[in-house]
Amino acid sequence: MKMENTKNNQELTQKELFRYSLRWMLTAQICWNYERMMAAGYLNTMLPYMKKKYKDKPNELKEMLEMENQFFNVTPHMGHFLVGIDLAMQEKEGTKAKEVVSGLKTGLMGPFSGVGDTIFGVLIPTIIGSIAAYMGVKGDITGVIIALLVNIAIAVARIFFLPIGYKQGTRLVNDFSDKLTALTESATLLGITVIGALVPTVIKANVSLVYKSGEVEMKLQEILDQIVPSIIPVALVGLVYWLLGKKGMTSTKAILLVMVLSIVLYNLKFLG
């Protein structure tokens, strides 16, 4: 028996959509593995609906479960849209939507991840985290509160992503696909600009070497600032970025290396 929505004749109510959205948020990455990535989490999200949709058709249920258990990986924030589109497609076409849904998942998880990783994985954490860290260094707890509120706001906003995908269906894909590249590039440029501006503000590394000749005294740091301001912090960021591109190098190893390098150079009176 369908639960009719008199406004748009949709099977699922807003309450049910929110329930699926929460289900995705809480279980998207359960049983995450290198073979199928988030397939188990995606299947778990769709499972209640599919049991209801194909409850009297065990063969069709098995067929669709196998399809939903295929390799899948996407930024969790963007997965809501794909689940919503999937629900809308299956509601309208049933098993006939199998190939379309499989193709959409395969074709969109990459572009959606490009946008999602840039915005939710890099841009927002970098900006908000840097602000919180900088204010924390100054002894101000406001930055931590702001970071907490932003993350709560993102979590709340995610609940509404799935209903958007469900209501828009394939139209969302057609309208949004052309804008994915432009949005990704814009967000990337903004993130790079913010990070570049934060480097001289957050990273403190000054050369303490002083050249003396008679009454003449020249501080190397002042000379470097005249050439390129904050060149040492920029060089350190560039060094770490280069190291992270090397095989076998991890962020933990890079942090330890910077710590050791800082201690050595400080004791050699090179950095102060």
Side-chain angles (χ1 to χ4, degrees), residues 45-112:
T45 302
M46 293 293 299
L47 192 57
Y49 176 78
M50 297 176 73
K51 283 183 176 179
K52 171 185 171 184
K53 179 75 175 178
Y54 309 106
K55 61 181 179 180
D56 298 324
K57 304 173 183 177
N59 291 331
E60 291 187 5
L61 175 61
K62 180 182 178 181
E63 180 183 349
M64 296 303 285
L65 288 176
E66 289 177 350
M67 182 273 292
E68 298 289 24
N69 197 36
Q70 294 173 354
F71 177 92
F72 183 76
N73 192 42
V74 72
T75 306
H77 304 70
M78 304 300 290
H80 295 272
F81 292 109
L82 289 173
V83 173
I85 294 171
D86 191 345
L87 288 169
M89 295 293 292
Q90 289 198 49
E91 175 188 306
K92 184 178 180 181
E93 301 291 341
T95 55
K96 294 180 181 179
K98 177 183 174 182
E99 299 300 328
V100 177
V101 170
S102 180
L104 285 174
K105 288 170 62 179
T106 303
L108 290 178
M109 62 182 179
F112 272 33

Short mmCIF file of all heavy atoms in Angstrom, two decimals, residues 45-112:
data_model
loop_
_atom_site.label_atom_id
_atom_site.label_comp_id
_atom_site.label_asym_id
_atom_site.label_seq_id
_atom_site.Cartn_x
_atom_site.Cartn_y
_atom_site.Cartn_z
N THR A 45 21.45 1.70 3.97
CA THR A 45 20.56 2.85 3.92
C THR A 45 19.31 2.55 3.09
O THR A 45 18.19 2.90 3.46
CB THR A 45 21.28 4.07 3.32
OG1 THR A 45 22.44 4.36 4.10
CG2 THR A 45 20.37 5.29 3.30
N MET A 46 19.51 1.87 1.96
CA MET A 46 18.41 1.59 1.05
C MET A 46 17.58 0.38 1.47
O MET A 46 16.46 0.18 0.98
CB MET A 46 18.97 1.34 -0.36
CG MET A 46 19.59 2.55 -1.02
SD MET A 46 18.39 3.84 -1.41
CE MET A 46 17.31 2.97 -2.55
N LEU A 47 18.08 -0.45 2.35
CA LEU A 47 17.47 -1.74 2.67
C LEU A 47 16.01 -1.66 3.11
O LEU A 47 15.17 -2.41 2.59
CB LEU A 47 18.32 -2.45 3.74
CG LEU A 47 17.99 -3.92 3.99
CD1 LEU A 47 18.13 -4.72 2.70
CD2 LEU A 47 18.93 -4.49 5.07
N PRO A 48 15.64 -0.78 4.08
CA PRO A 48 14.23 -0.74 4.49
C PRO A 48 13.28 -0.42 3.35
O PRO A 48 12.21 -1.04 3.23
CB PRO A 48 14.21 0.38 5.55
CG PRO A 48 15.61 0.45 6.05
CD PRO A 48 16.47 0.16 4.86
N TYR A 49 13.67 0.52 2.49
CA TYR A 49 12.80 0.88 1.37
C TYR A 49 12.67 -0.27 0.39
O TYR A 49 11.57 -0.56 -0.11
CB TYR A 49 13.35 2.11 0.64
CG TYR A 49 12.55 2.46 -0.59
CD1 TYR A 49 11.33 3.11 -0.48
CD2 TYR A 49 13.00 2.10 -1.86
CE1 TYR A 49 10.56 3.41 -1.60
CE2 TYR A 49 12.25 2.39 -2.99
CZ TYR A 49 11.03 3.04 -2.86
OH TYR A 49 10.28 3.32 -3.98
N MET A 50 13.76 -0.95 0.11
CA MET A 50 13.73 -2.03 -0.88
C MET A 50 12.94 -3.23 -0.37
O MET A 50 12.26 -3.90 -1.13
CB MET A 50 15.17 -2.41 -1.25
CG MET A 50 15.93 -1.27 -1.91
SD MET A 50 17.64 -1.66 -2.26
CE MET A 50 17.44 -2.76 -3.64
N LYS A 51 13.04 -3.49 0.92
CA LYS A 51 12.24 -4.58 1.50
C LYS A 51 10.75 -4.27 1.36
O LYS A 51 9.92 -5.16 1.13
CB LYS A 51 12.60 -4.77 2.97
CG LYS A 51 13.90 -5.50 3.20
CD LYS A 51 14.14 -5.71 4.68
CE LYS A 51 15.40 -6.53 4.93
NZ LYS A 51 15.65 -6.72 6.39
N LYS A 52 10.42 -2.99 1.51
CA LYS A 52 9.03 -2.57 1.39
C LYS A 52 8.58 -2.56 -0.08
O LYS A 52 7.48 -3.03 -0.41
CB LYS A 52 8.90 -1.17 1.98
CG LYS A 52 7.56 -0.49 1.76
CD LYS A 52 7.62 0.93 2.29
CE LYS A 52 6.38 1.71 1.90
NZ LYS A 52 6.45 3.12 2.33
N LYS A 53 9.45 -2.10 -0.95
CA LYS A 53 9.12 -1.96 -2.36
C LYS A 53 8.96 -3.32 -3.05
O LYS A 53 8.06 -3.51 -3.88
CB LYS A 53 10.21 -1.15 -3.06
CG LYS A 53 10.02 -0.94 -4.56
CD LYS A 53 8.95 0.09 -4.83
CE LYS A 53 8.85 0.38 -6.33
NZ LYS A 53 7.78 1.35 -6.64
N TYR A 54 9.84 -4.25 -2.70
CA TYR A 54 9.84 -5.54 -3.40
C TYR A 54 9.50 -6.70 -2.45
O TYR A 54 9.96 -7.82 -2.65
CB TYR A 54 11.22 -5.80 -4.02
CG TYR A 54 11.73 -4.65 -4.86
CD1 TYR A 54 12.75 -3.82 -4.40
CD2 TYR A 54 11.19 -4.38 -6.12
CE1 TYR A 54 13.22 -2.76 -5.16
CE2 TYR A 54 11.65 -3.33 -6.90
CZ TYR A 54 12.68 -2.51 -6.40
OH TYR A 54 13.13 -1.47 -7.16
N LYS A 55 8.69 -6.43 -1.44
CA LYS A 55 8.41 -7.44 -0.42
C LYS A 55 7.73 -8.69 -0.99
O LYS A 55 7.89 -9.79 -0.46
CB LYS A 55 7.57 -6.83 0.70
CG LYS A 55 6.21 -6.32 0.26
CD LYS A 55 5.47 -5.73 1.45
CE LYS A 55 4.10 -5.18 1.03
NZ LYS A 55 3.37 -4.61 2.20
N ASP A 56 6.97 -8.54 -2.04
CA ASP A 56 6.28 -9.69 -2.64
C ASP A 56 7.01 -10.22 -3.87
O ASP A 56 6.47 -11.06 -4.62
CB ASP A 56 4.84 -9.30 -3.03
CG ASP A 56 4.02 -8.90 -1.81
OD1 ASP A 56 4.22 -9.50 -0.74
OD2 ASP A 56 3.20 -7.97 -1.93
N LYS A 57 8.20 -9.72 -4.13
CA LYS A 57 8.97 -10.10 -5.31
C LYS A 57 10.42 -10.43 -4.90
O LYS A 57 11.33 -9.62 -5.10
CB LYS A 57 8.95 -8.98 -6.35
CG LYS A 57 7.55 -8.56 -6.76
CD LYS A 57 7.57 -7.34 -7.65
CE LYS A 57 6.16 -6.88 -8.01
NZ LYS A 57 6.18 -5.63 -8.82
N PRO A 58 10.64 -11.58 -4.30
CA PRO A 58 11.97 -11.92 -3.77
C PRO A 58 13.07 -11.92 -4.81
O PRO A 58 14.21 -11.53 -4.52
CB PRO A 58 11.77 -13.32 -3.18
CG PRO A 58 10.53 -13.86 -3.83
CD PRO A 58 9.67 -12.67 -4.07
N ASN A 59 12.77 -12.34 -6.01
CA ASN A 59 13.80 -12.36 -7.06
C ASN A 59 14.23 -10.94 -7.45
O ASN A 59 15.41 -10.67 -7.65
CB ASN A 59 13.29 -13.10 -8.30
CG ASN A 59 13.14 -14.59 -8.06
OD1 ASN A 59 13.85 -15.17 -7.24
ND2 ASN A 59 12.20 -15.22 -8.75
N GLU A 60 13.25 -10.05 -7.56
CA GLU A 60 13.56 -8.66 -7.89
C GLU A 60 14.32 -8.00 -6.74
O GLU A 60 15.23 -7.20 -6.97
CB GLU A 60 12.27 -7.89 -8.20
CG GLU A 60 11.60 -8.32 -9.49
CD GLU A 60 10.42 -7.43 -9.85
OE1 GLU A 60 10.19 -6.42 -9.14
OE2 GLU A 60 9.73 -7.73 -10.83
N LEU A 61 13.94 -8.34 -5.52
CA LEU A 61 14.63 -7.81 -4.35
C LEU A 61 16.09 -8.23 -4.36
O LEU A 61 17.00 -7.40 -4.15
CB LEU A 61 13.95 -8.29 -3.06
CG LEU A 61 14.65 -7.90 -1.75
CD1 LEU A 61 14.73 -6.39 -1.59
CD2 LEU A 61 13.92 -8.53 -0.55
N LYS A 62 16.34 -9.50 -4.62
CA LYS A 62 17.71 -10.01 -4.68
C LYS A 62 18.50 -9.30 -5.77
O LYS A 62 19.66 -8.91 -5.56
CB LYS A 62 17.69 -11.51 -4.93
CG LYS A 62 19.08 -12.13 -5.02
CD LYS A 62 18.99 -13.63 -5.31
CE LYS A 62 20.39 -14.23 -5.46
NZ LYS A 62 20.32 -15.69 -5.76
N GLU A 63 17.88 -9.11 -6.91
CA GLU A 63 18.54 -8.45 -8.05
C GLU A 63 18.93 -7.01 -7.71
O GLU A 63 20.06 -6.58 -8.00
CB GLU A 63 17.57 -8.46 -9.24
CG GLU A 63 18.13 -7.80 -10.49
CD GLU A 63 17.10 -7.77 -11.61
OE1 GLU A 63 16.05 -8.44 -11.49
OE2 GLU A 63 17.35 -7.05 -12.60
N MET A 64 18.04 -6.29 -7.06
CA MET A 64 18.31 -4.90 -6.72
C MET A 64 19.31 -4.78 -5.55
O MET A 64 20.12 -3.86 -5.52
CB MET A 64 17.01 -4.19 -6.36
CG MET A 64 16.01 -4.11 -7.52
SD MET A 64 16.68 -3.28 -8.98
CE MET A 64 16.64 -1.58 -8.45
N LEU A 65 19.26 -5.74 -4.64
CA LEU A 65 20.23 -5.74 -3.53
C LEU A 65 21.65 -5.94 -4.06
O LEU A 65 22.59 -5.31 -3.59
CB LEU A 65 19.88 -6.83 -2.52
CG LEU A 65 18.64 -6.59 -1.65
CD1 LEU A 65 18.37 -7.81 -0.77
CD2 LEU A 65 18.81 -5.35 -0.77
N GLU A 66 21.78 -6.83 -5.03
CA GLU A 66 23.10 -7.06 -5.63
C GLU A 66 23.61 -5.81 -6.34
O GLU A 66 24.79 -5.48 -6.28
CB GLU A 66 23.02 -8.23 -6.62
CG GLU A 66 22.84 -9.59 -5.95
CD GLU A 66 22.69 -10.72 -6.96
OE1 GLU A 66 22.54 -10.41 -8.17
OE2 GLU A 66 22.73 -11.90 -6.55
N MET A 67 22.70 -5.09 -6.98
CA MET A 67 23.07 -3.86 -7.66
C MET A 67 23.53 -2.80 -6.66
O MET A 67 24.53 -2.11 -6.86
CB MET A 67 21.89 -3.34 -8.49
CG MET A 67 22.18 -2.07 -9.30
SD MET A 67 21.89 -0.53 -8.35
CE MET A 67 20.11 -0.58 -8.14
N GLU A 68 22.81 -2.67 -5.57
CA GLU A 68 23.14 -1.66 -4.56
C GLU A 68 24.41 -2.00 -3.79
O GLU A 68 24.99 -1.14 -3.13
CB GLU A 68 21.98 -1.49 -3.57
CG GLU A 68 20.68 -1.00 -4.19
CD GLU A 68 20.73 0.45 -4.64
OE1 GLU A 68 21.82 0.98 -4.90
OE2 GLU A 68 19.64 1.06 -4.75
N ASN A 69 24.83 -3.25 -3.86
CA ASN A 69 26.03 -3.67 -3.13
C ASN A 69 27.29 -3.59 -3.98
O ASN A 69 28.35 -4.08 -3.60
CB ASN A 69 25.85 -5.11 -2.61
CG ASN A 69 26.84 -5.44 -1.52
OD1 ASN A 69 27.20 -4.60 -0.70
ND2 ASN A 69 27.31 -6.68 -1.49
N GLN A 70 27.19 -2.92 -5.12
CA GLN A 70 28.36 -2.74 -5.97
C GLN A 70 29.28 -1.67 -5.39
O GLN A 70 28.88 -0.89 -4.51
CB GLN A 70 27.93 -2.33 -7.39
CG GLN A 70 27.17 -3.41 -8.13
CD GLN A 70 26.61 -2.91 -9.46
OE1 GLN A 70 26.68 -1.73 -9.77
NE2 GLN A 70 26.02 -3.82 -10.23
N PHE A 71 30.50 -1.63 -5.90
CA PHE A 71 31.49 -0.66 -5.43
C PHE A 71 30.90 0.75 -5.42
O PHE A 71 30.29 1.20 -6.38
CB PHE A 71 32.71 -0.68 -6.36
CG PHE A 71 33.77 0.34 -6.01
CD1 PHE A 71 34.82 0.01 -5.17
CD2 PHE A 71 33.71 1.62 -6.52
CE1 PHE A 71 35.79 0.95 -4.85
CE2 PHE A 71 34.67 2.57 -6.21
CZ PHE A 71 35.72 2.24 -5.36
N PHE A 72 31.10 1.45 -4.30
CA PHE A 72 30.58 2.81 -4.19
C PHE A 72 31.43 3.59 -3.20
O PHE A 72 31.78 3.11 -2.13
CB PHE A 72 29.13 2.80 -3.71
CG PHE A 72 28.51 4.17 -3.64
CD1 PHE A 72 28.10 4.82 -4.79
CD2 PHE A 72 28.34 4.80 -2.41
CE1 PHE A 72 27.52 6.08 -4.73
CE2 PHE A 72 27.77 6.05 -2.34
CZ PHE A 72 27.35 6.70 -3.50
N ASN A 73 31.77 4.81 -3.58
CA ASN A 73 32.54 5.67 -2.68
C ASN A 73 32.29 7.12 -3.04
O ASN A 73 32.41 7.52 -4.20
CB ASN A 73 34.04 5.37 -2.80
CG ASN A 73 34.84 6.04 -1.69
OD1 ASN A 73 34.42 6.05 -0.54
ND2 ASN A 73 35.97 6.62 -2.04
N VAL A 74 31.89 7.91 -2.06
CA VAL A 74 31.58 9.32 -2.30
C VAL A 74 31.78 10.08 -1.00
O VAL A 74 31.78 9.49 0.09
CB VAL A 74 30.11 9.47 -2.80
CG1 VAL A 74 29.13 9.22 -1.66
CG2 VAL A 74 29.88 10.84 -3.42
N THR A 75 31.97 11.39 -1.09
CA THR A 75 32.00 12.20 0.13
C THR A 75 30.67 12.00 0.85
O THR A 75 29.61 12.19 0.25
CB THR A 75 32.16 13.69 -0.23
OG1 THR A 75 33.30 13.85 -1.06
CG2 THR A 75 32.33 14.52 1.04
N PRO A 76 30.68 11.58 2.12
CA PRO A 76 29.44 11.27 2.83
C PRO A 76 28.38 12.37 2.73
O PRO A 76 27.19 12.08 2.64
CB PRO A 76 29.91 11.07 4.28
CG PRO A 76 31.31 10.58 4.14
CD PRO A 76 31.87 11.32 2.96
N HIS A 77 28.82 13.63 2.76
CA HIS A 77 27.87 14.74 2.68
C HIS A 77 27.09 14.73 1.37
O HIS A 77 25.91 15.10 1.34
CB HIS A 77 28.62 16.08 2.81
CG HIS A 77 29.46 16.20 4.04
ND1 HIS A 77 30.62 15.47 4.21
CD2 HIS A 77 29.32 16.95 5.15
CE1 HIS A 77 31.16 15.77 5.38
NE2 HIS A 77 30.39 16.67 5.97
N MET A 78 27.76 14.34 0.29
CA MET A 78 27.12 14.35 -1.03
C MET A 78 26.34 13.08 -1.31
O MET A 78 25.53 13.03 -2.24
CB MET A 78 28.19 14.54 -2.11
CG MET A 78 29.04 15.79 -1.95
SD MET A 78 28.07 17.31 -1.97
CE MET A 78 27.56 17.37 -3.68
N GLY A 79 26.57 12.04 -0.52
CA GLY A 79 25.87 10.78 -0.72
C GLY A 79 24.37 10.91 -0.54
O GLY A 79 23.59 10.15 -1.14
N HIS A 80 23.95 11.88 0.28
CA HIS A 80 22.51 12.10 0.49
C HIS A 80 21.79 12.33 -0.84
O HIS A 80 20.69 11.81 -1.06
CB HIS A 80 22.30 13.32 1.40
CG HIS A 80 22.81 13.15 2.79
ND1 HIS A 80 22.04 12.60 3.79
CD2 HIS A 80 24.00 13.46 3.35
CE1 HIS A 80 22.74 12.58 4.92
NE2 HIS A 80 23.93 13.10 4.67
N PHE A 81 22.40 13.14 -1.71
CA PHE A 81 21.77 13.45 -2.99
C PHE A 81 21.57 12.19 -3.82
O PHE A 81 20.51 11.99 -4.43
CB PHE A 81 22.62 14.46 -3.77
CG PHE A 81 22.68 15.83 -3.16
CD1 PHE A 81 23.84 16.28 -2.56
CD2 PHE A 81 21.58 16.66 -3.18
CE1 PHE A 81 23.91 17.54 -2.00
CE2 PHE A 81 21.62 17.93 -2.62
CZ PHE A 81 22.80 18.37 -2.03
N LEU A 82 22.60 11.33 -3.85
CA LEU A 82 22.52 10.12 -4.66
C LEU A 82 21.49 9.15 -4.10
O LEU A 82 20.76 8.50 -4.86
CB LEU A 82 23.89 9.46 -4.73
CG LEU A 82 24.92 10.21 -5.59
CD1 LEU A 82 26.30 9.58 -5.46
CD2 LEU A 82 24.49 10.22 -7.04
N VAL A 83 21.43 9.03 -2.77
CA VAL A 83 20.41 8.16 -2.17
C VAL A 83 19.02 8.68 -2.51
O VAL A 83 18.11 7.91 -2.85
CB VAL A 83 20.59 8.07 -0.64
CG1 VAL A 83 19.43 7.30 -0.01
CG2 VAL A 83 21.90 7.39 -0.29
N GLY A 84 18.84 10.01 -2.44
CA GLY A 84 17.55 10.61 -2.76
C GLY A 84 17.15 10.35 -4.20
O GLY A 84 15.99 10.01 -4.49
N ILE A 85 18.10 10.52 -5.12
CA ILE A 85 17.83 10.25 -6.54
C ILE A 85 17.49 8.77 -6.76
O ILE A 85 16.58 8.43 -7.51
CB ILE A 85 19.04 10.65 -7.39
CG1 ILE A 85 19.25 12.16 -7.34
CG2 ILE A 85 18.86 10.20 -8.84
CD1 ILE A 85 20.55 12.63 -7.97
N ASP A 86 18.23 7.90 -6.08
CA ASP A 86 18.00 6.46 -6.17
C ASP A 86 16.58 6.12 -5.73
O ASP A 86 15.86 5.36 -6.40
CB ASP A 86 19.03 5.75 -5.28
CG ASP A 86 19.06 4.24 -5.52
OD1 ASP A 86 18.12 3.71 -6.11
OD2 ASP A 86 20.03 3.59 -5.08
N LEU A 87 16.16 6.67 -4.59
CA LEU A 87 14.81 6.42 -4.10
C LEU A 87 13.75 6.87 -5.10
O LEU A 87 12.77 6.16 -5.36
CB LEU A 87 14.59 7.14 -2.77
CG LEU A 87 15.34 6.58 -1.55
CD1 LEU A 87 15.26 7.55 -0.38
CD2 LEU A 87 14.77 5.22 -1.15
N ALA A 88 13.96 8.06 -5.68
CA ALA A 88 13.00 8.59 -6.64
C ALA A 88 12.93 7.73 -7.90
O ALA A 88 11.84 7.46 -8.43
CB ALA A 88 13.38 10.03 -7.01
N MET A 89 14.09 7.26 -8.36
CA MET A 89 14.13 6.45 -9.58
C MET A 89 13.44 5.11 -9.37
O MET A 89 12.66 4.64 -10.21
CB MET A 89 15.57 6.24 -10.02
CG MET A 89 16.31 7.51 -10.43
SD MET A 89 15.66 8.26 -11.93
CE MET A 89 16.14 7.03 -13.14
N GLN A 90 13.74 4.46 -8.23
CA GLN A 90 13.14 3.15 -7.97
C GLN A 90 11.65 3.27 -7.69
O GLN A 90 10.87 2.37 -8.02
CB GLN A 90 13.85 2.47 -6.79
CG GLN A 90 15.25 2.01 -7.12
CD GLN A 90 15.76 0.98 -6.13
OE1 GLN A 90 15.08 0.00 -5.83
NE2 GLN A 90 16.97 1.21 -5.63
N GLU A 91 11.25 4.37 -7.06
CA GLU A 91 9.83 4.58 -6.82
C GLU A 91 9.05 4.67 -8.12
O GLU A 91 7.96 4.13 -8.25
CB GLU A 91 9.65 5.87 -6.01
CG GLU A 91 8.19 6.25 -5.80
CD GLU A 91 8.05 7.62 -5.17
OE1 GLU A 91 8.65 7.85 -4.12
OE2 GLU A 91 7.36 8.47 -5.76
N LYS A 92 9.66 5.29 -9.12
CA LYS A 92 8.98 5.50 -10.40
C LYS A 92 9.07 4.30 -11.33
O LYS A 92 8.09 3.92 -11.98
CB LYS A 92 9.58 6.73 -11.08
CG LYS A 92 8.89 7.11 -12.38
CD LYS A 92 9.51 8.36 -12.98
CE LYS A 92 8.82 8.73 -14.29
NZ LYS A 92 9.41 9.95 -14.90
N GLU A 93 10.25 3.67 -11.38
CA GLU A 93 10.48 2.63 -12.39
C GLU A 93 10.68 1.23 -11.81
O GLU A 93 10.67 0.26 -12.56
CB GLU A 93 11.73 2.99 -13.22
CG GLU A 93 11.63 4.33 -13.94
CD GLU A 93 10.62 4.31 -15.06
OE1 GLU A 93 10.25 3.21 -15.52
OE2 GLU A 93 10.18 5.40 -15.48
N GLY A 94 10.90 1.11 -10.52
CA GLY A 94 11.15 -0.20 -9.94
C GLY A 94 12.44 -0.82 -10.47
O GLY A 94 13.45 -0.14 -10.60
N THR A 95 12.40 -2.10 -10.80
CA THR A 95 13.61 -2.77 -11.29
C THR A 95 14.06 -2.25 -12.66
O THR A 95 15.20 -2.46 -13.06
CB THR A 95 13.37 -4.29 -11.39
OG1 THR A 95 12.21 -4.53 -12.20
CG2 THR A 95 13.15 -4.90 -10.01
N LYS A 96 13.17 -1.58 -13.38
CA LYS A 96 13.56 -1.00 -14.67
C LYS A 96 14.62 0.09 -14.51
O LYS A 96 15.33 0.42 -15.46
CB LYS A 96 12.33 -0.42 -15.38
CG LYS A 96 11.30 -1.47 -15.79
CD LYS A 96 10.12 -0.81 -16.48
CE LYS A 96 9.06 -1.84 -16.87
NZ LYS A 96 7.89 -1.20 -17.52
N ALA A 97 14.70 0.62 -13.30
CA ALA A 97 15.66 1.69 -13.03
C ALA A 97 17.03 1.15 -12.65
O ALA A 97 17.95 1.92 -12.38
CB ALA A 97 15.14 2.59 -11.91
N LYS A 98 17.17 -0.15 -12.66
CA LYS A 98 18.42 -0.78 -12.21
C LYS A 98 19.65 -0.24 -12.93
O LYS A 98 20.61 0.21 -12.29
CB LYS A 98 18.33 -2.30 -12.40
CG LYS A 98 19.62 -3.03 -12.04
CD LYS A 98 19.49 -4.52 -12.32
CE LYS A 98 20.83 -5.23 -12.09
NZ LYS A 98 20.74 -6.68 -12.40
N GLU A 99 19.65 -0.28 -14.24
CA GLU A 99 20.81 0.17 -15.01
C GLU A 99 21.03 1.66 -14.87
O GLU A 99 22.17 2.13 -14.80
CB GLU A 99 20.63 -0.21 -16.49
CG GLU A 99 20.51 -1.70 -16.76
CD GLU A 99 21.75 -2.46 -16.30
OE1 GLU A 99 22.86 -1.88 -16.35
OE2 GLU A 99 21.61 -3.62 -15.88
N VAL A 100 19.94 2.42 -14.83
CA VAL A 100 20.05 3.88 -14.70
C VAL A 100 20.65 4.24 -13.35
O VAL A 100 21.56 5.08 -13.26
CB VAL A 100 18.67 4.55 -14.87
CG1 VAL A 100 18.79 6.06 -14.65
CG2 VAL A 100 18.11 4.25 -16.25
N VAL A 101 20.13 3.62 -12.29
CA VAL A 101 20.64 3.90 -10.94
C VAL A 101 22.10 3.52 -10.83
O VAL A 101 22.93 4.28 -10.29
CB VAL A 101 19.81 3.15 -9.88
CG1 VAL A 101 20.47 3.24 -8.51
CG2 VAL A 101 18.40 3.72 -9.81
N SER A 102 22.44 2.35 -11.34
CA SER A 102 23.84 1.89 -11.31
C SER A 102 24.74 2.86 -12.07
O SER A 102 25.83 3.21 -11.61
CB SER A 102 23.95 0.49 -11.91
OG SER A 102 25.28 0.03 -11.90
N GLY A 103 24.27 3.32 -13.22
CA GLY A 103 25.05 4.26 -14.01
C GLY A 103 25.21 5.60 -13.33
O GLY A 103 26.29 6.21 -13.36
N LEU A 104 24.13 6.09 -12.69
CA LEU A 104 24.20 7.36 -11.98
C LEU A 104 25.16 7.29 -10.81
O LEU A 104 25.96 8.22 -10.59
CB LEU A 104 22.80 7.76 -11.49
CG LEU A 104 21.82 8.27 -12.54
CD1 LEU A 104 20.44 8.47 -11.92
CD2 LEU A 104 22.32 9.58 -13.13
N LYS A 105 25.09 6.20 -10.07
CA LYS A 105 26.00 6.05 -8.93
C LYS A 105 27.45 6.02 -9.40
O LYS A 105 28.33 6.68 -8.82
CB LYS A 105 25.68 4.76 -8.16
CG LYS A 105 24.38 4.84 -7.35
CD LYS A 105 23.98 3.48 -6.80
CE LYS A 105 25.03 2.93 -5.86
NZ LYS A 105 24.63 1.61 -5.32
N THR A 106 27.71 5.27 -10.45
CA THR A 106 29.08 5.16 -10.97
C THR A 106 29.56 6.47 -11.56
O THR A 106 30.70 6.89 -11.34
CB THR A 106 29.15 4.05 -12.04
OG1 THR A 106 28.70 2.82 -11.49
CG2 THR A 106 30.57 3.88 -12.55
N GLY A 107 28.68 7.13 -12.31
CA GLY A 107 29.08 8.34 -13.01
C GLY A 107 29.17 9.57 -12.13
O GLY A 107 29.95 10.48 -12.41
N LEU A 108 28.37 9.62 -11.06
CA LEU A 108 28.32 10.83 -10.25
C LEU A 108 29.14 10.79 -8.98
O LEU A 108 29.44 11.84 -8.40
CB LEU A 108 26.86 11.13 -9.87
CG LEU A 108 25.96 11.59 -11.02
CD1 LEU A 108 24.54 11.81 -10.52
CD2 LEU A 108 26.49 12.87 -11.64
N MET A 109 29.53 9.59 -8.52
CA MET A 109 30.26 9.56 -7.25
C MET A 109 31.60 10.28 -7.37
O MET A 109 32.09 10.87 -6.39
CB MET A 109 30.45 8.13 -6.75
CG MET A 109 31.25 7.21 -7.63
SD MET A 109 31.32 5.54 -6.91
CE MET A 109 32.28 4.67 -8.15
N GLY A 110 32.20 10.28 -8.56
CA GLY A 110 33.46 10.99 -8.75
C GLY A 110 33.28 12.50 -8.73
O GLY A 110 33.89 13.20 -7.91
N PRO A 111 32.43 13.06 -9.63
CA PRO A 111 32.20 14.50 -9.61
C PRO A 111 31.65 15.02 -8.29
O PRO A 111 32.05 16.08 -7.82
CB PRO A 111 31.18 14.68 -10.75
CG PRO A 111 31.42 13.54 -11.66
CD PRO A 111 31.78 12.39 -10.76
N PHE A 112 30.71 14.29 -7.69
CA PHE A 112 30.15 14.72 -6.41
C PHE A 112 31.23 14.72 -5.32
O PHE A 112 31.23 15.59 -4.45
CB PHE A 112 28.99 13.79 -5.99
CG PHE A 112 27.65 14.23 -6.54
CD1 PHE A 112 27.57 14.85 -7.77
CD2 PHE A 112 26.49 14.02 -5.83
CE1 PHE A 112 26.35 15.26 -8.29
CE2 PHE A 112 25.26 14.42 -6.32
CZ PHE A 112 25.18 15.04 -7.56
#
